[in-house]
Amino acid sequence: MKKAKILVIDDEKLLRWSLQQNLAKEGFSVITAENGTSGLQLFNEEQPELTLLDIHLPDISGISVLEKIKKDNQDAIIIMITAYGDIRTAVKTIKIGAYDFVEKPFNMDKIKILLDKALETSSLRKEVHQFRTQLSRKYGFKNVIGKSNEMVKVLELVKKVSKSDATTIFLHGESGTGKDLIAKVIHYEDRRSDKPFMDINCTALPETLIESELFGYEKGAFTDAKNVKKGLFELADGGTIYLDEIADMKLSTQAKLLKVIENKIFKRIGGIKDIVVDLRVIASTNKNITEIVKKGDFREDLYYRLKVVPIYLPPLRERKEDIPQLVKFFIDEFNNEFRKNVKGISKETEKYFLGYPWPGNIRELRNVIERAMILENADYILPQHLPGELLSNDLHVKDIADSQIKIPPGGMNIEEVEKELIKQALEQKKWNQTKAAKLLGLTRDALRYRMQKFGFLDEKT
Ligand SMILES: Nc1ncnc2c1ncn2[C@@H]1O[C@H](COP(=O)(O)OP(=O)(O)OP(=O)(O)O)[C@@H](O)[C@H]1O
Ligand SMILES: [Mg+2]
């Protein structure tokens, strides 16, 4: 493996020479400068992995060289060379961002150990940095597709909240409309982006586990608590915690959550010490939460606290003008992933896409494209590459056209028509909500929402 490049900035010729000899023997590539100005220049030209920098230089002070390098290269690893006993200055340099310091005259073996440790840190820092850049590239605004009025409004709101101090945000909308994506975008477009994004699915974990995941526990808090464990609230400090499917959280956990949101203070399970955190909490659900609150399964106070900043993601069938752009986005994504060169969808396929109600929303659209691109090897996605439900929907579209719903000359009340169609569907399917929803191209929740609106829920359920 190629060893790192090290820059030595020191005015003592003998010291430069001895470092060069010794470190070259270890396989490092060493470059040297005899004063601050040429040191800075060499740093910029060569971008060394590590710099050994003398505090006392003939032209500018080592401290100002350190400040200059750190200003533009936050992750640079710099080890200061200080005079024996000059601890105060050494400590000052650490505060500015030096990695460590060594005192003159120094022991070569010690220096080698220090260099190895520092370089390990440097490569870890680089990895973290790369990882974060990848994530913020993946979860930036440019990866949220949508030019429809509905999505433009959503994105404006998302931009505002990600830059604001709003600490609780509530995302709601049907399954597959992009709630997880938006939660990540809010985090990665925010000043919090270099802090953790922690997510937890409240459905997946039983109540007792959710609490220990969220709050952590002290050693001995319960039989299995052999050691202290930090919870997600503590681990996400400074960043964001995303509570997915919040509607499935049990009432007792909800009470504790409300306290954390309001006071930013909590205790580990079995603990007495208050832990203070600075967090943004994003909660999401694809359920009709007002109904759940009414039933008493979700605390009203928590609901009001959460929905201070609500963001509603509209279903895809209400923003079909976004379909062509989404299709292009996903085709590009899978061309990259599968090393293919699919050019687009055929005109006929586009008709099916625009006619279909997409009950699984954007997730379903993405899956349909992924499936077609995995299974088929054509330049364009054709109707024969689509799953059955998309094609059979065509019949419904034609049926509707054939049944000739015409607006009467005197106008009509669209709510009344909607109510009538919902009633017909429910009657036709003997009040089976899942089947009636399918008949109308709605999700069951969307149907229930309308049933509630038109007073059908109280009648039959
Ligand atoms: N506007 C968008 N632009 C690009 N991709 C999107 C958009 N909205 C959603 N997606 C993609 O669609 C898929 C489903 O989105 P996501 O997981 O965020 O949905 P969700 O609302 O959290 O669903 P659920 O309620 O089932 O958890 C993901 O792959 C996501 O990246
Ligand atoms: Mg989700």
Side-chain angles (χ1 to χ4, degrees):
M1 200 183 80
K2 192 178 154 286
K3 279 242 178 170
K5 189 189 287 176
I6 294 177
L7 167 64
V8 178
I9 310 176
D10 199 304
D11 57 333
E12 270 182 58
K13 199 172 174 186
L14 188 61
L15 187 137
R16 289 200 308 273
W17 181 83
S18 121
L19 278 169
Q20 191 154 33
Q21 296 299 309
N22 277 287
L23 298 179
K25 252 190 254 158
E26 297 294 312
F28 291 112
S29 113
V30 185
I31 44 176
T32 62
E34 59 187 15
N35 58 45
T37 317
S38 58
L40 275 171
Q41 195 184 344
L42 212 51
F43 182 93
N44 291 328
E45 287 166 9
E46 299 282 337
Q47 295 287 313
E49 271 86 8
L50 190 146
T51 304
L52 280 160
L53 170 63
D54 190 4
I55 282 193
H56 301 286
L57 292 168
D59 51 349
I60 39 179
S61 81
I63 291 197
S64 65
V65 175
L66 169 70
E67 282 170 339
K68 286 201 171 91
I69 294 183
K70 275 288 181 184
K71 192 167 148 262
D72 300 325
N73 309 272
Q74 229 186 333
D75 289 339
I77 302 268
I78 300 169
I79 296 176
M80 303 304 291
I81 303 173
T82 63
Y84 178 71
D86 195 1
I87 292 288
R88 269 174 62 194
T89 331
V91 171
K92 189 172 164 199
T93 64
I94 300 280
K95 281 192 186 144
I96 299 173
Y99 175 80
D100 208 336
F101 61 92
V102 282
E103 285 176 338
K104 277 197 247 189
F106 44 68
N107 169 331
M108 233 2 121
D109 288 335
K110 259 194 188 163
I111 292 241
K112 283 175 198 159
I113 294 172
L114 184 59
L115 289 188
D116 281 338
K117 214 175 94 205
L119 286 166
E120 203 182 310
T121 312
S122 155
S123 78
L124 281 177
R125 275 189 200 171
K126 268 192 206 137
E127 251 175 62
V128 170
H129 196 78
Q130 258 176 357
F131 191 56
R132 286 209 173 111
T133 334
Q134 267 173 13
L135 284 175
S136 48
R137 232 181 271 144
K138 190 163 171 201
Y139 298 118
F141 284 118
K142 66 176 189 342
N143 286 340
V144 185
I145 305 301
K147 292 243 162 57
S148 57
N149 289 339
E150 289 83 354
M151 272 316 275
V152 168
K153 272 190 218 143
V154 167
L155 283 171
E156 271 169 13
L157 188 58
V158 169
K159 270 186 195 144
K160 265 191 214 150
V161 297
S162 66
K163 299 279 171 257
S164 78
D165 284 333
T167 48
T168 4
I169 294 163
F170 180 56
L171 298 172
H172 61 131
E174 288 176 17
S175 179
T177 46
K179 296 181 295 296
D180 287 18
L181 176 68
I182 294 294
K184 287 180 188 142
V185 170
I186 292 175
H187 175 80
Y188 287 105
E189 288 284 351
D190 179 18
R191 66 183 159 81
R192 293 175 190 269
S193 64
D194 61 344
K195 294 281 168 30
F197 175 91
M198 295 280 175
D199 61 348
I200 184 165
N201 185 312
C202 305
T203 316
L205 287 173
E207 190 182 356
T208 43
L209 268 183
I210 279 214
E211 289 202 4
S212 61
E213 282 297 313
L214 289 179
F215 304 106
Y217 48 76
E218 296 291 345
K219 189 174 170 178
F222 42 86
T223 336
D224 286 337
K226 303 260 185 298
N227 284 304
V228 176
K229 179 183 144 117
K230 285 187 181 177
L232 292 184
F233 279 120
E234 224 171 321
L235 294 171
D237 193 15
T240 304
I241 187 155
Y242 176 46
L243 303 167
D244 197 6
E245 283 319 324
I246 185 96
D248 292 335
M249 187 180 263
K250 295 287 176 304
L251 282 164
S252 61
T253 318
Q254 290 175 22
K256 291 186 188 154
L257 172 64
L258 181 64
K259 257 191 173 163
V260 184
I261 293 178
E262 291 200 320
N263 309 322
K264 309 262 178 274
I265 282 182
F266 67 96
K267 292 182 173 68
R268 292 188 194 134
I269 300 173
I272 42 167
K273 195 175 74 186
D274 279 334
I275 296 173
V276 184
V277 279
D278 160 34
L279 279 178
R280 169 175 266 162
V281 178
I282 307 182
S284 90
T285 182
N286 56 26
K287 306 228 162 70
N288 184 340
I289 195 149
T290 37
E291 236 180 67
I292 300 174
V293 171
K294 241 190 236 162
K295 267 204 233 149
D297 290 338
F298 199 87
R299 289 179 68 107
E300 204 170 2
D301 47 6
L302 176 59
Y303 172 54
Y304 283 112
R305 187 68 189 79
L306 287 175
K307 71 170 206 152
V308 173
V309 185
I311 300 179
Y312 173 63
L313 287 152
L316 185 56
R317 65 183 166 282
E318 286 173 16
R319 44 171 161 131
K320 285 195 172 163
E321 59 270 46
D322 288 340
I323 290 180
Q325 209 195 349
L326 282 163
V327 166
K328 183 176 177 320
F329 180 77
F330 293 134
I331 290 182
D332 286 349
E333 179 186 342
F334 294 122
N335 270 339
N336 248 332
E337 195 175 327
F338 306 145
R339 300 186 185 285
K340 291 211 169 178
N341 193 18
V342 173
K343 299 197 171 55
I345 57 174
S346 72
K347 275 273 161 255
E348 194 66 1
T349 304
E350 187 173 74
K351 267 191 222 150
Y352 282 104
F353 276 11
L354 294 175
Y356 183 62
W358 298 107
N361 293 295
I362 301 175
R363 180 180 295 114
E364 189 181 6
L365 174 64
R366 186 173 181 274
N367 290 349
V368 165
I369 292 174
E370 183 179 16
R371 188 188 108 124
M373 287 177 64
I374 290 176
L375 298 179
E376 312 294 340
N377 250 333
D379 274 356
Y380 287 88
I381 299 178
L382 304 173
Q384 62 259 39
H385 305 148
L386 305 179
E389 63 269 24
L390 250 129
L391 300 175
S392 62
N393 181 66
D394 183 48
L395 296 176
H396 300 303
V397 176
K398 283 206 186 102
D399 281 351
I400 290 172
D402 289 348
S403 72
Q404 300 253 333
I405 299 178
K406 285 247 158 64
I407 303 173
M412 66 196 269
N413 181 333
I414 197 153
E415 291 241 315
E416 283 302 318
V417 177
E418 196 185 358
K419 185 174 175 184
E420 177 57 31
L421 290 176
I422 284 171
K423 191 166 148 238
Q424 278 185 32
L426 285 163
E427 281 170 358
Q428 215 182 94
K429 295 293 171 192
K430 304 205 165 38
W431 293 83
N432 177 319
Q433 293 176 13
T434 313
K435 287 185 184 163
K438 200 158 175 230
L439 199 59
L440 293 165
L442 294 173
T443 60
R444 190 168 166 274
D445 282 331
L447 174 69
R448 282 183 69 80
Y449 169 79
R450 286 169 174 80
M451 287 172 71
Q452 188 189 24
K453 187 165 82 173
F454 298 128
F456 293 148
L457 266 188
D458 309 331
E459 272 176 36
K460 290 277 172 180
T461 52

